[in-house]
């Protein structure tokens, strides 16, 4: 029976063990991360053969930068708002940051890292406020990036 490639980890990764770093500082308490994607635009080149038959060639275009979405229980910190406000105020250079999504094993050791560059918050959303509700107030953060790479 095949055992896989030697010296490579074979355990599946668990989605609940991750951390978010912005500027090499870990930000805790996010309950969900989505948008870790790698995609290349598809360019269609349409032409005809000598006998008039249409042909469509699919060619690679430019890489598409990801949009990362983070969700967490809202707290009293203004750090994310201040980051977003830098862009609202037109301070583009202050608003662009580098960060990472770090996947961890059961002991908290790093097993995979996605670094993103030129990132800024394009949208901050707070969940619905309802009188008489006892639900946890959630916050959703949309981060646009210029580039993302998997480094480990």
């Amino acid at each position: 029976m095949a055992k896989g490639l030697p010296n490579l980890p074979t355990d599946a990764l668990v989605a609940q063990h991750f951390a978010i770093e912005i500027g090499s500082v870990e930000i805790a308490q996010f309950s969900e991360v989505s948008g870790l994607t790698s995609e290349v635009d598809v360019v269609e080149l349409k032409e005809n053969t000598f006998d008039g038959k249409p042909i469509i060639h699919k060619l690679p275009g430019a890489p598409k930068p990801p949009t990362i979405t983070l969700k967490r229980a809202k707290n009293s910190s203004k750090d994310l708002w201040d980051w977003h406000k830098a862009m609202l105020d037109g301070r583009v250079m202050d608003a662009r940051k580098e960060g990472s999504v770090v996947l961890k094993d059961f002991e908290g050791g790093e097993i995979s890292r996605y670094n993103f560059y030129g990132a800024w918050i394009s949208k901050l959303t707070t969940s619905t406020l309802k009188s008489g509700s006892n639900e946890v107030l959630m916050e959703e953060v949309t981060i646009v990036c210029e580039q993302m790479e998997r480094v480990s």
Side-chain angles (χ1 to χ4, degrees):
M1 181 176 226
K3 294 187 178 187
L5 298 174
N7 301 322
L8 292 180
T10 57
D11 291 340
L13 302 179
V14 178
Q16 70 185 24
H17 298 288
F18 64 89
I20 307 299
E21 295 177 0
I22 303 296
S24 301
V25 176
E26 188 171 311
I27 319 174
Q29 301 178 347
F30 284 96
S31 59
E32 188 176 324
V33 177
S34 62
L36 298 177
T37 61
S38 178
E39 187 175 353
V40 176
D41 276 331
V42 177
V43 177
E44 289 190 356
L45 175 62
K46 298 178 182 180
E47 61 183 8
N48 291 328
T49 62
F50 289 115
D51 59 352
K53 181 180 173 188
I55 298 174
I56 299 176
H57 298 280
K58 303 240 180 194
L59 305 170
K64 292 173 86 173
T67 298
I68 299 170
T69 303
L70 308 173
K71 294 181 184 179
R72 71 175 185 176
K74 185 143 179 76
N75 60 27
S76 61
S77 171
K78 281 187 60 203
D79 291 340
L80 292 173
W81 176 258
D82 292 341
W83 181 13
H84 179 56
K85 186 146 177 17
M87 189 58 80
L88 291 174
D89 292 344
R91 295 181 289 122
V92 176
M93 295 308 293
D94 293 336
R96 292 186 186 277
K97 299 190 182 292
E98 297 179 359
S100 301
V101 177
V102 183
L103 306 180
K104 298 188 174 195
D105 61 19
F106 287 103
E107 288 82 36
E110 181 176 321
I111 52 178
S112 186
R113 175 179 290 267
Y114 294 86
N115 291 337
F116 51 87
Y117 305 95
W120 50 279
I121 296 176
S122 66
K123 183 176 172 183
L124 270 175
T125 305
T126 300
S127 62
T128 304
L129 303 171
K130 293 187 283 188
S131 176
S133 173
N134 62 356
E135 296 174 9
V136 173
L137 191 61
M138 297 298 290
E139 180 174 49
E140 184 173 311
V141 183
T142 303
I143 300 174
V144 294
C145 311
E146 290 182 351
Q147 179 185 0
M148 184 177 72
E149 65 179 348
R150 181 177 174 179
V151 293
S152 62

